[in-house]
Amino acid sequence: MDGRTVVDELDASSQARPLPLTASVREDVLLLGDGQQEVAMPLPEDEFYVSVAPFREQTHQCFYHSLATCQGELAGEEVTVRIVADDGTVVVDETTTTYANGFVGFWVPRDLVGTLEVEHDGATGTVPFATTEGSPTCITTLQLEA
């Protein structure tokens, strides 16, 4: 499997966290380890993985998304996600279900700056985001409010 496929499968895994491995999504690589050794799997050059865990009450600090340990508040919940670039381009506009880990992830173009909005059960939240060099792959600051 390539890095993108591993990211997709691990993030969407229904297994309870923590998983028995390490898996950190960076800007351009997936760092995958078993406690003894770690390998860097390249990620697509033209795409950036951004994973968001919308929350109402409880969140955690995160910068690089851990596919093995990150757990968000809203697992298995239907959310509507809009990602809009500053130039007005709508990158994502879809209704989906958060994974068992409370996150939902998207592969978006690199070098974007914009906003990420999530709606869930009548509550919404919006945060700025970027897919430029040095940007986080894990967004845990999007609080939903009525």
Side-chain angles (χ1 to χ4, degrees), residues 80-133:
T80 300
V81 178
R82 280 182 54 89
I83 299 176
V84 181
D86 279 352
D87 69 3
T89 302
V90 177
V91 180
V92 173
D93 187 1
E94 68 180 70
T95 299
T96 188
T97 302
T98 56
Y99 308 134
N101 65 0
F103 281 80
V104 63
F106 298 94
W107 291 96
V108 297
R110 289 187 181 271
D111 299 321
L112 286 181
V113 176
T115 58
L116 191 152
E117 177 183 305
V118 175
E119 187 276 327
H120 170 263
D121 200 25
T124 59
T126 304
V127 293
F129 90 103
T131 63
T132 55
E133 186 175 336

Side-chain angles (χ1 to χ4, degrees), residues 4-145:
R4 180 184 173 148
T5 303
V6 173
V7 168
D8 289 342
E9 290 194 13
L10 286 177
D11 216 12
S13 170
S14 61
Q15 290 182 313
R17 301 315 195 253
L19 299 177
L21 52 87
T22 61
S24 179
V25 182
R26 304 299 173 99
E27 297 169 39
D28 55 356
V29 297
L30 167 64
L31 298 178
L32 195 59
D34 63 3
Q36 301 295 320
Q37 60 182 345
E38 185 174 75
V39 297
M41 298 181 75
L43 296 176
E45 291 181 12
D46 59 341
E47 293 179 300
F48 189 99
Y49 191 71
V50 60
S51 195
V52 59
F55 73 98
R56 289 182 182 266
E57 302 292 329
Q58 180 179 327
T59 190
H60 63 280
Q61 293 285 330
C62 190
F63 193 85
Y64 292 124
H65 184 46
S66 171
L67 300 166
T69 61
C70 280
Q71 181 64 54
E73 181 184 74
L74 302 175
E77 296 288 329
E78 186 175 281
V79 295
T80 300
V81 178
R82 280 182 54 89
I83 299 176
V84 181
D86 279 352
D87 69 3
T89 302
V90 177
V91 180
V92 173
D93 187 1
E94 68 180 70
T95 299
T96 188
T97 302
T98 56
Y99 308 134
N101 65 0
F103 281 80
V104 63
F106 298 94
W107 291 96
V108 297
R110 289 187 181 271
D111 299 321
L112 286 181
V113 176
T115 58
L116 191 152
E117 177 183 305
V118 175
E119 187 276 327
H120 170 263
D121 200 25
T124 59
T126 304
V127 293
F129 90 103
T131 63
T132 55
E133 186 175 336
S135 294
T137 60
C138 191
I139 298 177
T140 58
T141 57
L142 194 147
Q143 186 168 18
L144 300 168
E145 298 180 36

